[in-house]
Amino acid sequence: MSHPDLLGYAAAFLTTASFVPQVWQTLRTRDTRALSLWMYLLFTAGVALWGVYGILLGAWPIILANGVTLLLATIVLWHKLTEPRES
């Protein structure tokens, strides 16, 4: 494995791991009121596109990181979209 790949895997791990606390908090409290719907919509779409980009390049650090991040972001987005609206 090359040094650039190791750097890519380290960056992928750190950026992906940064979403775990938000997902944990969302699953634990079921509260997404403080989260921006538009931010999560745009972010999730961007992560999906990064994943496709990684697939086209055959770049495993990009593919793996964005696949896991897409799953985590989708969990939060799902909860945000299904959260009851306040009157």
Side-chain angles (χ1 to χ4, degrees):
M1 186 175 302
S2 68
H3 284 55
D5 280 344
L6 289 174
L7 183 64
Y9 281 111
F13 174 79
L14 292 172
T15 56
T16 300
S18 72
F19 273 85
V20 172
Q22 185 63 65
V23 174
W24 178 254
Q25 178 80 1
T26 299
L27 291 174
R28 193 173 57 79
T29 66
R30 305 281 190 219
D31 182 11
T32 60
R33 289 175 293 173
L35 301 177
S36 167
L37 174 60
W38 281 106
M39 180 273 183
Y40 265 92
L41 285 169
L42 294 171
F43 180 78
T44 303
V47 169
L49 291 175
W50 271 112
V52 171
Y53 177 69
I55 290 168
L56 293 174
L57 293 178
W60 282 103
I62 296 172
I63 296 166
L64 294 173
N66 286 285
V68 174
T69 303
L70 181 61
L71 174 65
L72 295 172
T74 301
I75 291 168
V76 174
L77 182 60
W78 174 258
H79 283 278
K80 182 68 177 172
L81 290 170
T82 60
E83 179 177 83
R85 304 264 193 252
E86 290 184 14
S87 315

